[in-house]
Amino acid sequence: MELSAGQRLQYLDLIRGIAVLGLVLMNVTHMGMFELGYVQHVPPLLTDQVVTVLNALLFDGRFRSLFCLLFGIGLYLQYQSYQRQQLDPRQILKTRLNWLLCFGFIHCVFIWPGDILIFYALCGFVLLRYLDTSHQVLLRKGIWWFVLGIGIFLGEVALSAHFSEPVLRSSNDFTESYQTLMEPYWQYAGFNFAIALIYVFTFPLLSMFYLTGVMMIGLALFKSGKLQSGFETQQTRVLWSVTVLVSLIEVVTFLLVPQYSEYFVGVPGAIAGLTMALLIWHYVIVLKLAERSTFLIQALKRSGTLAFTLYIGQSIILVTLLRFLYPQWHLYFSLANYLALAILIIALQLVFAFAYKSRFKQGPLESLWRRLVARRIDKLNKSLADKIDQARGSHSA
């Protein structure tokens, strides 16, 4: 599918808005004590169990998968756009990805070590090789990469469960992790820098296959037209069946062996996350949600155009609150408290996005990224013009 110059797909903005705001729900518990996340109270709280089940059924892995789908498709649409402008799309996209990698490092080191931009940039470099691949080949490769990625996740789960013990609020691990919140900022940044390096060096083994596999699957479905028209009834039933079954496995694991669910949760979340993300995409299309003019739909679409700014903004706000201003919240907050905080941030960002886009065309970080890439485009345009002039000069001679 090709777009005319300047044309936007409104449903992509809507889905991107859902994805970026949904990330708050999953990241909020890790914004303070990143290495531990949320540690269960002893005895377990009923509200914690309710929120955990809710996460397993509705949230876990869904928004990460949506973003992976969007990222791969966005890269492809930009590739087409630069081709229409008779530019070298791979050179420009490599520039975009290099800057995204830089932004990711800055975010990871100086703001929050749970950054995902580093991974997306690295996946983008891999995906560049397959943008011209047919949707049939791309889908097969994406499924194989996804399955391999899930296998790697299972290996990580087995190792973690074997070599580590679940952390309790009464344990030394929790106390030591909480005390790190009082350390000087430079120590925090130093720890984050080490995390960023680990991300890069372990990416080919631990993260590449799963994340890039999801991107390949999404791009293949987009090229085939499935993500523009929606899935057939039978395909939708299969997606629902997988989503419900895998989510219930996650719920049952939590209820029966809660001490080990923290290790296992990523695997069903990765599988049901992808199938549920495809269902969200499907219903956005078939219900024509992007065409509705309600405040919520318009605010979500505007949030989608500010996804970069909102994502970094979430980290700045929540790290400031949970690490620097009110670290004591970690001592008594339940999952319900974190959920309420996440919902508050989502509401504020919806209002911000609606108001901001009423006055400005681009978000501050989106504009900065675009200007940085524009320098590369200007150089390519100048180089192309010089070649044309030389060709004309040679022809005249």
Side-chain angles (χ1 to χ4, degrees):
M1 178 178 183
E2 296 195 5
L3 302 177
S4 59
Q7 183 181 356
R8 293 188 69 92
L9 293 174
Q10 296 295 311
Y11 67 86
L12 290 184
D13 290 335
L14 175 58
I15 295 170
R16 192 178 296 108
I18 295 171
V20 70
L21 295 176
L23 285 177
V24 186
L25 297 168
M26 303 313 302
N27 291 340
V28 63
T29 55
H30 289 267
M31 284 293 181
M33 295 191 294
F34 166 73
E35 62 276 17
L36 290 185
Y38 183 72
V39 177
Q40 293 283 343
H41 287 263
V42 180
L45 303 177
L46 177 60
T47 55
D48 280 2
Q49 294 176 323
V50 172
V51 174
T52 299
V53 171
L54 186 66
N55 284 339
L57 295 176
L58 298 178
F59 304 140
D60 189 25
R62 278 60 168 170
F63 308 110
R64 178 185 60 220
S65 295
L66 271 178
F67 247 124
C68 285
L69 297 174
L70 288 162
F71 188 83
I73 292 167
L75 202 67
Y76 175 66
L77 292 175
Q78 291 162 359
Y79 179 81
Q80 289 184 318
S81 175
Y82 294 134
Q83 277 187 324
R84 289 193 297 270
Q85 299 173 54
Q86 297 183 332
L87 298 171
D88 186 339
R90 283 188 167 81
Q91 286 192 50
I92 300 174
L93 290 177
K94 285 179 181 178
T95 301
R96 285 184 62 87
L97 294 172
N98 281 329
W99 280 114
L100 185 63
L101 188 61
C102 290
F103 287 131
F105 260 96
I106 293 170
H107 177 231
C108 185
V109 173
F110 297 105
I111 303 175
W112 183 55
D115 172 77
I116 194 65
L117 303 179
I118 291 174
F119 292 114
Y120 285 171
L122 295 174
C123 287
F125 286 117
V126 177
L127 196 60
L128 282 179
R129 300 173 54 191
Y130 301 100
L131 293 180
D132 288 324
T133 304
S134 69
H135 68 86
Q136 297 95 335
V137 174
L138 201 57
L139 182 60
R140 288 196 298 270
K141 184 176 287 290
I143 291 173
W144 276 112
W145 280 43
F146 178 79
V147 171
L148 181 56
I150 295 299
I152 292 172
F153 275 5
L154 285 170
E156 292 181 73
V157 167
L159 290 173
S160 297
H162 180 73
F163 289 106
S164 60
E165 293 292 332
V167 177
L168 302 175
R169 287 194 175 236
S170 58
S171 67
N172 290 332
D173 289 337
F174 179 80
T175 302
E176 291 173 1
S177 182
Y178 176 74
Q179 289 175 345
T180 62
L181 301 180
M182 317 303 167
E183 294 177 348
Y185 177 77
W186 66 268
Q187 290 187 356
Y188 174 67
F191 169 80
N192 294 352
F193 179 74
I195 292 293
L197 292 180
I198 291 172
Y199 286 162
V200 173
F201 288 118
T202 62
F203 169 76
L205 175 63
L206 299 182
S207 306
M208 181 180 72
F209 293 101
Y210 164 68
L211 293 175
T212 311
V214 174
M215 292 179 186
M216 288 179 176
I217 291 171
L219 181 53
L221 294 174
F222 186 81
K223 283 188 170 187
S224 71
K226 289 292 184 183
L227 295 186
Q228 292 91 320
S229 59
F231 297 102
E232 298 172 2
T233 302
Q234 185 60 36
Q235 294 169 329
T236 307
R237 288 173 180 170
V238 171
L239 291 174
W240 270 116
S241 298
V242 174
T243 300
V244 172
L245 176 61
V246 175
S247 298
L248 287 177
I249 291 174
E250 182 177 346
V251 170
V252 170
T253 302
F254 168 73
L255 295 176
L256 295 182
V257 283
Q259 67 272 27
Y260 292 108
S261 64
E262 64 180 277
Y263 305 116
F264 180 70
V265 66
V267 177
I271 299 171
L274 174 57
T275 54
M276 187 67 179
L278 292 173
L279 285 169
I280 292 172
W281 196 300
H282 167 78
Y283 288 113
V284 167
I285 295 297
V286 299
L287 297 178
K288 299 182 179 180
L289 296 182
E291 299 177 12
R292 302 186 184 184
S293 57
T294 64
F295 170 80
L296 179 60
I297 295 298
Q298 295 304 313
L300 283 170
K301 288 198 294 185
R302 294 183 183 192
S303 297
T305 65
L306 298 174
F308 189 10
T309 295
L310 295 184
Y311 172 68
I312 300 298
Q314 292 165 8
S315 297
I316 293 173
I317 294 170
L318 288 171
V319 169
T320 300
L321 288 174
L322 295 173
R323 186 173 189 94
F324 299 113
L325 294 183
Y326 305 106
Q328 66 273 20
W329 284 356
H330 295 288
L331 296 178
Y332 57 84
F333 259 28
S334 67
L335 282 178
N337 295 128
Y338 285 111
L339 177 60
L341 179 60
I343 291 173
L344 175 61
I345 298 299
I346 290 171
L348 291 174
Q349 289 203 317
L350 279 170
V351 173
F352 168 79
F354 189 88
Y356 184 92
K357 290 291 289 187
S358 297
R359 297 193 59 183
F360 304 100
K361 292 183 178 180
Q362 277 193 316
L365 291 181
E366 287 79 8
S367 178
L368 173 61
W369 192 12
R370 183 175 184 175
R371 289 200 301 271
L372 291 170
V373 176
R375 295 180 180 179
R376 179 61 172 167
I377 296 176
D378 289 341
K379 290 181 180 179
L380 290 175
N381 282 331
K382 185 177 183 303
S383 175
L384 180 62
D386 289 343
K387 289 180 180 179
I388 292 175
D389 289 341
Q390 291 175 2
R392 289 175 177 173
S394 300
H395 182 71
S396 299

